[in-house]
Amino acid sequence: MNSTKHFNILIIGAGPAGIGAAVALSKRGIKSIAIIERSDKVGGIPSFYKKKKGGVRTFIRWSRGGIPVFGEDYAQWLEKQLLKTKVQIELQTQVLNIDAKKKILTLVSPKEGEVNYSADAIVMACGSREETLAERGWLGGSRPVRVFFTKQLLCLLDGNHLLPMNNPLIIGSDLIGYAAAAKLKAAGASNAVIVDNRSGPKCGFFERLYFRLWSNPKYQGLSIKSIEITGNKTASGVKLNGKNIPCDGIVICGELIPNSELALNGNIKVELHSRKPVVAEDYQLSEPGWFAAGNMLGGFHGAEWCYFNGRRVARGVVNYLSQT
Amino acid sequence: MSCPGKLFYNWSDKDFDESLKFIDTEQLGNDPYDVTIIGAGVVGCALAYKLSLHKLRVLLLDKNYDVGEATSKGNSAIIHTGFDAAVGTLESELVTKASRGWPELAKKLKIPYEECGALLIAINDEQNSHLDNVYEKALKNGVTDVQLLSAEQALELEPQITKNVLRGILIPRESIADPFSTSIAFAEVALTNGVNILLGTEIIGVENANDKIKTLVTGCGKRIDTEIIINVAGLGSRKLADLYEGESFDINPRRGQFLIFDKYSRSAINRILLPIPTANTKGVLVIPTIFGNLIAGPTAEDFTINDNAVADTTVEQLQALLNGASKLYPGLYEQPVISTFSGVRCNCSQGSYWIRCNDGHQGIITVSGIRSTGFTSSPALAEYLISELHEKLGLNLEANPEAIDSRSESSWPGWWKRPYSNNELVKEFPEYGRVVCYCEQISHGEIIQQLDSPLKPRTLDALKRRTRAQMGRCQGFDCMVNVAEIVSNHCNIPLNKITKRGPGSEIISTNTLQY
């Protein structure tokens, strides 16, 4: 292993929150900042919602509506902000482990292999993911192919121009689910059935009205204790209160959980069930010099919220640096 | 070195690799096989491995599109010492024998293996009264290194277990291993030694069963000649035995559901935690896995042979499982469950390890009822079967001096040896530094290496079992499409033709098109 490279600030994750923090910290005159991104591009989840003529624009301020945009456009705007700064961008770089006390990250990349980076302060903007079938606790049945998470659907639909199913069934009724239904319909699939274990959809009324421009999914909820996925090789439906709803593909949407495992591995305090990191004033984590931003904090926030949250976290980081 | 065997897939899609396609029986050579093994589960693969050390023409075939894809893929992954087996049975004998050979076998075949030990704990008076019987039974089974522990001693070894513990037994050699690598390693060495492997091929008929040379009819209408047939088809063994009028037996698949917990739970428990089996129930285990997770299970639910639900999971049973497992380790309630799975035990109503030589006709062996202990016993069972082949079926055994019995250092799974930690290797092959599966930290290079490995896995599930990509806490949320793209690019298969487990399980519906 090579010797440790030192930076003033390291930011883990180049999604909206990480970029927000990077841009704000750079504007405050901090010289050596590196942003570490495991995929091959910056922009995070919005970049998966591609721009398409006549395509579905979604909300970047999920929780509060706002003007619908193409995620890709917003990701490009974020990238532009980032490129204006002198922040060092490390793509295809995975953080393998952290040493919270010494503020060291062990990274691996094709360029450098395994290396150590250290910093005076570290911002974790690791984002979130959708809960697995098992984590949701009310989904059983078989394990066929064509049961996707939203991110997988986006990679196929927008990334590869492949429509994976004709009769979609969507599990999870928040904005992500309704957006998925609209995108599938726009790509040529039929109206989706949306299933959730609550009486009404999670997605707000006005957002649902907006997505009616493309699709009118049927909602199935109310007192569902558990549902069973059916299909031997490929998904063929779900069994719900003894009734089979047929489909040829399933999308598991929403129910975000923070990607807080790196923090956990470094013995930074994380609430185990929700996996939200324990945050003090100024978004500080339980180890001094560590901060969290964006959807890693938990909850269900749009890209724009995350970007501004990243900027707020940057203020906390500057406070911390001025005190030490 | 002997001439390596051939590998074929019964995969007719035009985009599938021509050199791996099974088109004609002539690809398998013109002479009849000495031995054909039907079923490439852990037992079939172990048998192919052991037979490949002799000068024989052997064919291993399976209806699935990978080895170890059915019963062998879903189990507790424990290498049993056999301490609690029924005394004096063949099962007990083979498990005990195999268990002693496992450390060396794992080293030779590069199978991740850890002697973690097990702790059997009694948490109520009824269980406590059974504890001495279990101890006596272990001694009778030749597992003499077991130790009786007081509550204090048990808590000292495993501080996180329930404070209700009354007494315990330590079984030091009870171990864990990678069940996926096991079938794969056996099959890879067999292939290297000249065994031919045919995947995706079901046998639907046996002709000339009375003759010395018998003919197997495949689902796609091809005919394969062989002198000896070994039926190790697991759940399919009953249907197969009917094709050659084998002795009657019944299979009642027994489902075992498991919960998989995330990796940070693993540091809490070091040993396999076992309840004391009582008259009513065998109980739920908490098991560390070689992959660094904890699992809890299994349930025991009986099914009929043709019920597809045997591989399903159910919400109610999994909740009951969590409650049961928490009696041993109360902290489990706090731990996030990342996934669940169902394993199916091949349970034979006429007794476990149902083995019939010259079954129905001379030259046919039926092996069924190999339950969860089959993973442990497979190498010993293979040796036992070979001695039966020699003694009862007259198979001539001559050692093959060119055969190898191990895999090379580079065969260790990437998740076990972490190729990216070797900076020289990353310099030479930068793809080992590009992580694709973020949760399990699996690199692009490891996926390519597996695609090019001797068994040429071509399905997402086959890759998952080899590399662990998609096996982590996000269950493929981040990497599934990326992995599919890598397979697509490397093997020249269009992305919409990539499958989870062979033809018919394409990730993209065949009726939809690019839009």
Side-chain angles (χ1 to χ4, degrees):
Chain A
M1 180 158 313
N2 304 335
S3 58
T4 302
K5 278 188 206 169
H6 187 79
F7 295 83
N8 288 138
I9 311 275
L10 283 169
I11 298 162
I12 309 174
I19 293 176
V23 169
L25 284 164
S26 170
K27 277 190 182 151
R28 282 165 182 264
I30 292 170
K31 286 279 170 300
S32 82
I33 306 171
I35 190 164
I36 295 152
E37 169 57 41
R38 55 193 187 181
S39 76
D40 50 11
K41 60 179 186 294
V42 303
I45 291 293
S47 66
F48 289 92
Y49 287 84
K50 298 276 189 238
K51 192 152 74 178
K52 211 165 212 151
K53 215 176 161 200
V56 181
R57 294 164 198 254
T58 54
F59 301 94
I60 54 171
R61 272 190 269 157
W62 290 342
S63 44
R64 291 177 292 143
I67 302 160
V69 296
F70 286 116
E72 194 181 14
D73 275 338
Y74 188 67
Q76 280 167 3
W77 179 82
L78 289 172
E79 188 180 9
K80 224 165 83 190
Q81 304 306 307
L82 183 63
L83 291 178
K84 277 186 207 159
T85 67
K86 292 210 171 95
V87 172
Q88 183 179 331
I89 305 166
E90 298 285 349
L91 296 177
Q92 295 187 358
T93 305
Q94 162 98 358
V95 182
L96 297 173
N97 233 322
I98 64 169
D99 183 330
K101 292 263 183 298
K102 292 184 184 151
K103 286 181 278 203
I104 294 176
L105 308 181
T106 305
L107 316 163
V108 66
S109 70
K111 202 172 63 188
E112 296 189 284
E114 216 175 288
V115 283
N116 281 344
Y117 282 11
S118 67
D120 302 328
I122 294 165
V123 179
M124 304 185 94
C126 306
S128 57
R129 59 177 186 271
E130 290 170 314
E131 279 186 350
T132 64
L133 293 163
E135 279 166 324
R136 291 174 196 229
W138 54 286
L139 307 169
S142 65
R143 296 296 165 84
V145 72
R146 274 178 236 156
V147 179
F148 301 103
F149 291 107
T150 315
K151 187 176 173 185
Q152 299 170 342
L153 176 76
L154 292 171
C155 289
L156 294 170
L157 209 56
D158 284 5
N160 285 290
H161 310 290
L162 288 168
L163 174 62
M165 58 190 86
N166 288 309
N167 299 306
L169 186 133
I170 292 173
I171 298 174
S173 65
D174 56 24
L175 221 149
I176 302 176
Y178 275 82
K183 288 185 75 73
L184 281 161
K185 185 80 195 297
S190 58
N191 271 323
V193 178
I194 296 186
V195 177
D196 208 342
N197 62 342
R198 59 207 307 280
S199 56
K202 259 188 179 171
C203 183
F205 176 75
F206 288 105
E207 287 82 1
R208 270 186 287 146
L209 205 59
Y210 165 73
F211 286 120
R212 285 277 281 276
L213 286 173
W214 289 274
S215 74
N216 189 11
K218 190 173 158 207
Y219 181 76
Q220 289 264 6
L222 277 169
S223 69
I224 301 168
K225 257 177 85 187
S226 65
I227 67 173
E228 270 174 47
I229 292 175
T230 59
N232 198 3
K233 278 185 175 173
T234 64
S236 66
V238 299
K239 235 189 250 160
L240 194 155
N241 297 339
K243 207 178 79 189
N244 194 53
I245 308 176
C247 68
D248 68 347
I250 295 175
V251 190
I252 315 285
C253 288
E255 307 298 326
L256 306 183
I257 40 169
N259 287 329
S260 55
E261 286 74 20
L262 259 186
L264 254 171
N265 280 344
N267 289 323
I268 290 174
K269 276 190 194 135
V270 173
E271 289 172 23
L272 251 193
H273 245 226
S274 67
R275 267 167 287 177
K276 287 180 189 167
V278 177
V279 182
E281 203 187 339
D282 278 351
Y283 299 97
Q284 292 205 57
L285 300 176
S286 68
E287 286 291 333
W290 289 81
F291 296 81
N295 272 340
M296 190 185 157
L297 294 166
F300 182 82
H301 304 288
E304 201 173 31
W305 185 94
C306 292
Y307 175 74
F308 284 108
N309 178 257
R311 301 184 62 128
R312 277 196 296 279
V313 172
R315 234 175 291 159
V317 176
V318 172
N319 281 345
Y320 167 81
L321 288 179
S322 64
Q323 283 160 22
T324 49
Chain B
M1 216 176 84
S2 48
C3 178
K6 293 173 194 150
L7 166 81
F8 296 107
Y9 284 91
N10 179 25
W11 200 321
S12 56
D13 194 280
K14 69 172 172 50
D15 293 305
F16 191 72
D17 193 340
E18 284 298 326
S19 65
L20 292 175
K21 259 188 208 176
F22 179 54
I23 301 161
D24 202 302
T25 328
E26 277 179 18
Q27 289 170 293
L28 300 171
N30 294 318
D31 301 330
Y33 283 94
D34 296 319
V35 181
T36 297
I37 303 164
I38 304 173
V42 72
V43 178
C45 291
L47 186 57
Y49 163 66
K50 297 275 183 186
L51 282 172
S52 78
L53 306 176
H54 302 277
K55 280 187 175 167
L56 292 166
R57 270 177 52 76
V58 179
L59 175 68
L60 172 65
L61 54 81
D62 199 284
K63 66 175 178 178
N64 291 309
Y65 288 79
D66 189 19
V67 299
E69 173 116 51
T71 316
S72 305
K73 78 170 190 287
N75 51 55
S76 60
I78 298 176
I79 300 296
H80 299 280
T81 52
F83 78 96
D84 61 347
V87 182
T89 56
L90 177 65
E91 180 176 14
S92 149
E93 183 194 320
L94 293 176
V95 167
T96 313
K97 187 177 161 212
S99 129
R100 295 184 189 278
W102 254 94
E104 202 203 326
L105 181 81
K107 233 179 264 165
K108 272 201 302 208
L109 293 181
K110 313 293 179 278
I111 301 166
Y113 169 89
E114 187 192 328
E115 207 170 274
C116 60
L119 187 62
L120 193 87
I121 53 179
I123 53 173
N124 58 37
D125 291 336
E126 193 203 352
Q127 292 186 358
N128 201 5
S129 65
H130 281 86
L131 193 109
D132 292 310
N133 295 343
V134 177
Y135 181 75
E136 292 300 322
K137 199 174 182 185
L139 296 182
K140 273 187 201 149
N141 275 320
V143 186
T144 50
D145 49 359
V146 290
Q147 298 161 35
L148 277 168
L149 303 178
S150 66
E152 291 73 29
Q153 287 168 318
L155 280 164
E156 200 177 318
L157 287 177
E158 292 291 346
Q160 300 290 329
I161 58 170
T162 172
K163 301 288 178 280
N164 297 333
V165 55
L166 298 172
R167 270 195 309 162
I169 298 176
L170 177 69
I171 308 119
R173 284 187 300 105
E174 204 80 349
S175 306
I176 51 176
D178 171 4
F180 313 122
S181 288
T182 305
S183 300
I184 293 160
F186 283 141
E188 268 189 20
V189 179
L191 187 69
T192 312
N193 286 338
V195 171
N196 290 345
I197 298 178
L198 183 52
L199 296 173
T201 304
E202 193 170 8
I203 296 302
I204 58 160
V206 179
E207 294 173 353
N208 318 322
N210 243 340
D211 298 351
K212 187 166 165 30
I213 308 290
K214 307 164 202 340
T215 304
L216 296 168
V217 186
T218 72
C220 51
K222 308 278 192 306
R223 283 174 162 70
I224 300 167
D225 290 341
T226 182
E227 229 171 273
I228 289 172
I229 298 170
I230 302 178
N231 174 0
V232 278
L235 295 183
S237 58
R238 169 67 273 164
K239 213 167 117 194
L240 186 61
D242 287 339
L243 301 177
Y244 53 77
E245 299 99 27
E247 192 182 328
S248 174
F249 65 96
D250 301 296
I251 293 175
N252 295 101
R254 187 170 290 166
R255 176 164 82 184
Q257 302 192 41
F258 288 88
L259 294 161
I260 310 176
F261 297 87
D262 204 352
K263 290 195 166 172
Y264 30 80
S265 59
R266 171 72 149 86
S267 54
I269 299 291
N270 298 309
R271 293 173 184 78
I272 302 158
L273 301 183
L274 306 152
I276 307 274
T278 60
N280 301 324
T281 167
K282 272 207 144 179
V284 177
L285 287 66
V286 177
I287 310 153
T289 72
I290 195 80
F291 311 110
N293 306 82
L294 277 186
I295 58 176
T299 58
E301 306 154 71
D302 286 321
F303 281 80
T304 53
I305 188 80
N306 291 319
D307 193 343
N308 277 335
V310 72
D312 289 6
T313 56
T314 61
V315 173
E316 298 76 27
Q317 286 288 338
L318 290 169
Q319 187 56 49
L321 208 56
L322 183 59
N323 295 339
S326 301
K327 286 191 184 127
L328 301 178
Y329 165 36
L332 262 190
Y333 278 121
E334 295 292 311
Q335 298 295 342
V337 174
I338 60 166
S339 190
T340 58
F341 68 93
S342 271
V344 185
R345 310 172 187 87
C346 177
N347 195 47
C348 176
S349 311
Q350 282 75 15
S352 57
Y353 286 62
W354 168 272
I355 298 169
R356 291 292 177 273
C357 294
N358 299 316
D359 192 18
H361 303 274
Q362 184 75 27
I364 300 177
I365 298 191
T366 308
V367 182
S368 192
I370 311 298
R371 306 179 306 166
S372 52
T373 53
F375 174 41
T376 306
S377 70
S378 54
L381 176 58
E383 273 169 11
Y384 170 82
L385 290 173
I386 290 176
S387 74
E388 294 283 278
L389 279 168
H390 180 64
E391 284 164 23
K392 297 189 178 152
L393 283 78
L395 181 71
N396 189 18
L397 296 175
E398 187 187 339
N400 176 1
E402 288 164 340
I404 52 162
D405 68 347
S406 59
R407 293 202 295 172
S408 71
E409 267 314 296
S410 63
S411 306
W412 284 111
W415 58 266
W416 184 249
K417 287 287 174 187
R418 297 298 180 195
Y420 53 65
S421 294
N422 176 352
N423 277 6
E424 295 301 309
L425 188 65
V426 177
K427 236 174 237 159
E428 201 177 335
F429 304 105
E431 294 303 343
Y432 281 114
R434 183 140 71 99
V435 173
V436 176
C437 165
Y438 306 139
C439 304
E440 295 289 307
Q441 304 183 334
I442 306 304
S443 67
H444 191 281
E446 287 159 61
I447 294 170
I448 299 289
Q449 187 191 346
Q450 283 305 327
L451 286 171
D452 292 342
S453 70
L455 282 174
K456 306 259 181 285
R458 288 295 180 266
T459 70
L460 290 180
D461 275 3
L463 266 183
K464 184 159 124 176
R465 287 191 287 273
R466 285 162 175 82
T467 62
R468 294 197 58 70
Q470 299 192 63
M471 284 267 199
R473 59 181 69 92
C474 87
Q475 292 286 297
F477 171 84
D478 276 309
C479 71
M480 189 276 256
V481 179
N482 293 347
V483 174
E485 283 169 353
I486 295 171
V487 182
S488 168
N489 290 332
H490 192 75
C491 306
N492 283 318
I493 304 171
L495 189 58
N496 61 338
K497 297 277 181 67
I498 301 296
T499 72
K500 186 172 161 69
R501 25 177 195 252
S505 65
E506 289 78 14
I507 58 172
I508 304 293
S509 172
T510 41
N511 304 318
T512 62
L513 292 167
Q514 287 198 356
Y515 74 96

